[in-house]
Amino acid sequence: MIPRATYRVQFHKDFPFDAAIPLAPYWADLGISHVYASPIGTARAGSNHGYDVIDPARVNPELGGEEGFRALSAALKAEGIGIILDIVPNHVAVGQGDNPWWLDVLEKGEASPYASFFDIDWRSPDPALDGKLIAPFLGAPYAEVLASGDLKLEKRDGRLAVVAYGAHVFPLRPEDQQALAGTDLARIGDSDSLHQLCERQHWRLAWWRAAGDIINWRRFFDITELAGLRIEHKRVFDAVHALPSRLYAEGLIDGVRIDHIDGLADPTAYCRRLRDTLEAAGKFRPEGAAPGPAYIVVEKILASNEQLPPDWPVDGTSGYDFLGQVCALLHDDRAAKPLGRLWHRLSGRSPDFHAEELVARRMMLERNFAAQLNATAGAFARLAASVRETRDIGQPAWRRGIAWLLEGFPAYRTYGTGDAAPDSDVDIRRRAVSIAIDVAGPAEAHVIRRIDAWL
């Protein structure tokens, strides 16, 4: 069923499902066919947006739980209104002791059944970090926090954990849980003993400001309390989509809006799997439910010359491209030069936007994503070492080449999967290579071309 008009509703603890029920007749009078609901999976306590999900399989009790959602759906249906549900497949909230998947990984490390749910690089050339997950949640350097007494050994939900500031929880390994059972925790209160205990764990605590340099797992951009999911794996996909699939099968929702589709490893395969999943669930929809197929839209910002990939089995975007066109009506191109002159006068830097954009891109890479840049350069260096033609090119050169490519990259992302790539990827890479070679100069142009050839 294609919506006629949607009305976005942001649910949170101060505006739960039952607060929306009295508005159903008003929305019907407006001609609304579907409420476009913010995420309803269980989010971090007190969340005012719902995108910091900690349990995607359960309706958030702060919003009224599943019983409240069913009541809302029935009230809307009585007015001829359906629901399009916002879902968050890219990430979950971590760090504050409220995500059971993440806590299990902290406790058991690579042996956790949820370790494969997250993009974690467990291997490190530093033996002290090998097999550990970096946990950059401290408000100051580790030694300072340890000496200040802000780290404490406590029992949380029946198991021992190191707790920072009373909010961030880091469970101990099962062997340490067992060894310390019945121990007076005050005996491990001094900083040296606590440090030795921390060093034995599957995690390593760190200052939040160091995250960009040392983190070894994927975040939502550079937000450390949102960890990326490996939704390309069926087990992870099924766990995240169990709730919306069931709600669609029961006729409680008519479709979904996918948050941050471009954060996923393979958006094309994801959209196909989601379409197949909802199509299978649709066979169980009760009589009287809106006819299928499910309505699926993606959150994607299309550039002015960009089209939605035709092989995505979706019904469109959530409208950022249209919003961009509307906002452009409010801007006068002639303002660019006086704004550039003002910026130059205030900062002493270039008045040219593109020159400043390059500086900003370089700053983001070096400050916010240095760890990922280093990891990518390391991967290319290992590949290069296995080929006689490239074994003389060291990791620093690969790092420079990758940085130059990214700084001049003309699109948000490409869609190659390793097996194949759309034609648009070729053009994007060609432009990126041209820009990078201009910056690198003839001495290292061969590095840029080799990266392109391997891609």
Side-chain angles (χ1 to χ4, degrees):
M1 179 179 181
I2 304 297
R4 178 178 61 252
T6 61
Y7 194 105
R8 176 64 153 79
V9 180
Q10 180 67 61
F11 293 108
H12 50 82
K13 66 182 178 61
D14 296 319
F15 192 84
F17 300 135
D18 60 7
I21 290 176
L23 296 171
Y26 165 67
W27 290 330
D29 288 343
L30 288 178
I32 300 302
S33 67
H34 288 78
V35 161
Y36 160 30
S38 61
I40 64 168
T42 300
R44 178 151 285 162
S47 173
N48 61 7
H49 51 78
Y51 293 94
D52 46 358
V53 179
I54 58 171
D55 183 356
R58 185 169 61 110
V59 179
N60 194 341
E62 284 192 347
L63 307 182
E66 186 158 330
E67 183 179 346
F69 185 74
R70 288 179 179 276
L72 171 64
S73 178
L76 292 173
K77 193 170 293 186
E79 298 291 342
I81 298 174
I83 297 175
I84 306 297
L85 184 62
D86 208 333
I87 60 173
V88 190
N90 177 69
H91 57 266
V92 289
V94 298
Q96 293 190 20
D98 49 9
N99 185 322
W101 297 350
W102 184 255
L103 291 173
D104 199 75
V105 174
L106 292 176
E107 182 177 326
K108 300 172 184 150
E110 292 178 82
S112 167
Y114 299 104
S116 61
F117 275 44
F118 301 96
D119 270 322
I120 303 168
D121 184 1
W122 293 100
R123 303 280 70 85
S124 171
D126 182 350
L129 294 179
D130 198 50
K132 290 183 181 288
L133 182 149
I134 304 295
F137 297 101
L138 302 182
Y142 169 74
E144 290 182 23
V145 177
L146 185 67
S148 71
D150 284 329
L151 295 181
K152 301 183 185 305
L153 184 61
E154 297 180 4
K155 208 163 211 181
R156 290 288 179 99
D157 296 325
R159 46 188 183 174
L160 289 172
V162 171
V163 177
Y165 316 112
H168 295 282
V169 178
F170 308 96
L172 301 186
R173 302 179 306 163
E175 48 265 58
D176 285 317
Q177 301 264 1
Q178 186 175 0
L180 294 173
T183 302
D184 179 7
L185 301 186
R187 289 173 48 199
I188 314 176
D190 68 280
S191 60
D192 287 340
S193 299
L194 195 54
H195 170 65
Q196 292 170 12
L197 180 63
C198 289
E199 289 291 277
R200 296 198 296 268
Q201 305 312 310
H202 296 294
W203 37 262
R204 168 169 278 198
L205 300 180
W207 188 21
W208 71 270
R209 287 189 181 277
D213 291 329
I214 63 174
I215 200 163
N216 61 348
W217 46 275
R218 182 171 64 88
R219 302 173 287 175
F220 174 64
F221 296 107
D222 59 351
I223 302 173
T224 305
E225 291 197 5
L226 295 177
L229 290 172
R230 302 186 74 183
I231 207 71
E232 64 273 18
H233 295 301
K234 187 177 185 302
R235 182 165 163 256
V236 186
F237 179 96
D238 290 345
V240 171
H241 295 83
L243 177 62
S245 298
R246 180 169 59 81
L247 296 178
Y248 181 70
E250 296 181 23
L252 299 176
I253 64 172
D254 296 329
V256 295
R257 177 265 197 189
I258 303 162
D259 182 66
H260 195 48
I261 186 76
D262 273 334
L264 310 185
D266 187 351
T268 305
Y270 169 82
C271 290
R272 289 172 179 163
R273 178 173 281 173
L274 179 63
R275 175 61 74 187
D276 290 345
T277 298
L278 293 180
E279 191 171 296
K283 296 175 182 177
F284 301 96
R285 281 171 75 80
E287 188 176 344
Y295 185 69
I296 302 176
V297 291
V298 297
E299 180 207 26
K300 178 168 174 57
I301 303 172
L302 294 173
S304 58
N305 60 345
E306 184 182 10
Q307 299 293 319
L308 195 65
D311 53 349
W312 291 11
V314 300
D315 296 290
T317 75
S318 51
Y320 289 163
D321 42 331
F322 171 72
L323 182 63
Q325 294 169 13
V326 172
C327 288
L329 294 173
L330 306 176
H331 294 79
D332 187 341
D333 288 347
R334 293 172 298 179
K337 287 186 177 179
L339 283 173
R341 290 194 295 269
L342 175 62
W343 168 248
H344 175 67
R345 189 165 70 248
L346 293 173
S347 67
R349 287 163 40 170
S350 172
D352 178 64
F353 172 80
H354 297 292
E356 289 297 276
E357 181 187 21
L358 192 62
V359 171
R361 284 170 174 246
R362 186 170 298 133
M363 185 183 298
M364 288 296 293
L365 267 178
E366 294 295 343
R367 292 187 181 180
N368 297 60
F369 298 101
Q372 286 91 336
L373 180 59
N374 289 338
T376 306
F380 273 93
R382 288 190 295 275
L383 175 61
S386 69
V387 181
R388 75 179 68 165
E389 289 83 5
T390 54
R391 69 179 188 176
D392 292 342
I393 304 174
Q395 182 165 328
W398 296 115
R399 190 182 192 278
R400 289 193 296 273
I402 294 163
W404 287 326
L405 278 167
L406 290 174
E407 286 165 13
F409 209 69
Y412 185 70
R413 64 163 290 169
T414 57
Y415 293 98
T417 61
D419 298 319
D423 292 340
S424 59
D425 278 18
V426 177
D427 181 56
I428 289 169
R429 284 211 315 275
R430 186 181 295 118
R431 286 188 285 160
V433 166
S434 175
I435 294 169
I437 287 176
D438 284 346
V439 177
E444 293 189 293
H446 66 292
V447 176
I448 307 294
R449 293 194 180 98
R450 174 57 66 174
I451 294 171
D452 180 49
W454 277 337
L455 290 175

